[in-house]
Amino acid sequence: MVEQSKRFRRGMRQQKARGGLLSGSGRSAADIAAEDTALRSAFPMIDLEAEAETVAEPEALTPAPEPVDAPVSKPVPKPAPLALENPLPVAEDPVANSGEASNENVDEDEDEGEIVEVDDVWPQLGPMPVQRNQMAQNLIITASRRNPVHAAFDVLRARLLNALTDNGWKRVAITSPTRDCGKTFVSVNLAVTLSRYENCRTILLDMDMRNPSVAKTLGLRDVGSMGDYLRGEVPTRDQFFKFDSNDMKIGDNLAIAMNDRIEPYASELMQQPATAELLQRMEAELSPDVILYDLPPALANDDVIAFEDNFDGVLIVIDGTRTSGQDVREVMRRLGDSVPLLGVVLNKAEDATGEEYGY
């Protein structure tokens, strides 16, 4: 019945558009009124819908002027259009919106595509020579593996990877309470021994921008500025290097970012949100499994505290000849309870008497 009433009302409007209710029909107004009354009796829904539409005041067709000589004894009420006959403007908006949403999805796909493209920066990294003599002089014992102490770094490697895997972590800060405890010695040796895990991609960054020493330890010069890299002035492919082919089995799944100049505002640079964003971008470009940050001594300045949002846990390297338990406790107090302690590496233990590190 509703469909029949719709067709009826549609026909009424079409007749009006062609020149009024009487044009061309030869029927009187009384005949039309009687027909209208009969239809309304047969389809009472018409009156109800027309009454409801009058309240809503929808947009109506402009009535044609009524002939002057029409013998209209009773005005015929003008039928209001049904809401269902509306050209559905609401349906047009979802179409437009869906089109916009589709464009946004395309943009997102394009963005994701760009990330996939830059994820493969690793093959673009340049080579750096293996300076065998300098590395031996600086006690990079995991390179030649002639010193039996290298086994201690193999154990440290295994325990560190277990801790990272169990917790879903990858970013490791390596620091010490004070200067000359051997944090860079531990950082480089740990990085080299990790390079021999073929399924583990490792990167090492020299973040001690007040006293950079990774390049010196490896016997390299003109390695670039870490400060410029963190400011976004140098691309990742120009800041990170991999060891050239060698007979020491130092794997090509280790990349190192070094520094050859002092950054006077290191702390301010390390805590900037832009630095965190760049490091996230770096992770997307290199897809590392382990990230080692060689940081400054924790009690020397506030660099480690400023950088703590960018690492998952910390390794503390202590000097067995002079570091006290109070020094380690002070480091952890400054970092706070939110920073997990991954381990304490005792260096120079052969010269320690046991009294320096007493609790």
Side-chain angles (χ1 to χ4, degrees), residues 269-281 309-310:
L269 179 60
M270 295 171 76
Q271 65 83 34
Q272 288 182 1
T275 296
E277 293 175 2
L278 186 140
L279 293 176
Q280 292 175 2
R281 177 74 176 180
D309 290 339
N310 298 288

Side-chain angles (χ1 to χ4, degrees), residues 21-77:
L21 295 177
L22 298 180
S23 67
S25 65
R27 295 181 295 167
S28 66
D31 294 336
I32 293 175
E35 183 179 351
D36 185 56
T37 301
L39 286 171
R40 290 176 184 276
S41 299
F43 305 107
M45 181 64 68
I46 295 177
D47 287 339
L48 296 175
E49 292 173 347
E51 184 176 350
E53 292 294 331
T54 303
V55 175
E57 280 298 325
E59 192 175 313
L61 295 173
T62 304
E66 217 161 308
V68 178
D69 56 350
V72 178
S73 59
K74 179 181 178 181
V76 180

Side-chain angles (χ1 to χ4, degrees), residues 62-350:
T62 304
E66 217 161 308
V68 178
D69 56 350
V72 178
S73 59
K74 179 181 178 181
V76 180
K78 176 174 70 68
L82 293 175
L84 292 177
E85 295 181 2
N86 196 294
L88 300 178
V90 179
E92 296 177 0
D93 293 336
V95 173
N97 292 337
S98 65
E100 294 175 0
S102 176
N103 292 336
E104 292 175 359
N105 292 336
V106 170
D107 293 339
E108 292 175 359
D109 292 340
E110 290 177 355
D111 292 341
E112 293 176 0
E114 292 176 0
I115 293 176
V116 171
E117 292 177 1
V118 300
D119 276 351
D120 200 18
V121 172
W122 194 274
Q124 304 175 26
L125 303 182
M128 59 182 174
V130 177
Q131 303 284 23
R132 187 186 296 264
N133 293 335
Q134 285 84 349
M135 292 174 71
Q137 292 175 6
N138 293 321
L139 300 178
I140 308 304
I141 55 180
T142 55
S144 64
R145 296 175 68 88
R146 294 176 181 174
N147 191 317
V149 179
H150 78 80
F153 283 101
D154 292 346
V155 173
L156 176 62
R157 170 187 62 185
R159 291 183 175 178
L160 177 64
L161 285 180
N162 286 338
L164 297 180
T165 302
D166 291 343
N167 293 279
W169 297 335
K170 68 170 62 176
R171 302 171 299 172
V172 180
I174 302 177
T175 185
S176 59
T178 56
R179 288 182 57 124
D180 300 326
C181 290
K183 62 179 183 59
T184 300
F185 160 77
V186 171
S187 298
V188 176
N189 274 289
L190 181 58
V192 170
T193 193
L194 280 168
S195 76
R196 296 193 173 99
Y197 276 0
E198 294 182 359
N199 60 341
C200 179
R201 183 176 284 186
T202 303
I203 60 177
L204 168 63
L205 294 88
D206 189 350
M207 298 294 290
D208 188 351
M209 291 181 284
R210 300 178 189 269
N211 183 28
S213 54
V214 171
K216 296 177 183 178
T217 301
L218 296 175
L220 301 175
R221 296 182 299 174
D222 301 323
V223 295
S225 168
M226 183 61 68
D228 290 345
Y229 175 68
L230 295 178
R231 282 186 286 267
E233 300 173 6
V234 179
T236 298
R237 64 177 179 272
D238 293 338
Q239 189 67 36
F240 284 81
F241 297 90
K242 298 184 297 183
F243 281 110
D244 205 349
S245 300
N246 60 88
D247 58 357
M248 304 174 73
K249 295 186 178 180
I250 302 177
D252 63 355
N253 55 345
L254 168 64
I256 302 179
M258 294 166 284
N259 186 26
D260 59 8
R261 69 198 69 174
I262 295 175
E263 179 63 40
Y265 300 99
S267 177
E268 292 81 358
L269 179 60
M270 295 171 76
Q271 65 83 34
Q272 288 182 1
T275 296
E277 293 175 2
L278 186 140
L279 293 176
Q280 292 175 2
R281 177 74 176 180
M282 175 267 295
E283 290 189 37
E285 292 174 327
L286 299 177
S287 299
D289 299 295
V290 179
I291 304 174
L292 304 178
Y293 292 116
D294 182 13
L295 292 172
L299 302 183
N301 45 58
D302 65 336
D303 291 7
V304 178
I305 300 173
F307 194 67
E308 65 176 298
D309 290 339
N310 298 288
F311 54 83
D312 300 313
V314 59
L315 275 177
I316 299 179
V317 180
I318 63 174
D319 183 345
T321 65
R322 58 177 181 163
T323 303
S324 67
Q326 180 60 35
D327 292 335
V328 179
R329 287 192 292 269
E330 179 61 19
V331 171
M332 296 310 300
R333 186 193 70 80
R334 293 191 183 187
L335 290 176
D337 297 334
S338 61
V339 178
L341 176 62
L342 297 174
V344 177
V345 179
L346 178 60
N347 189 31
K348 304 179 184 179
E350 67 278 6

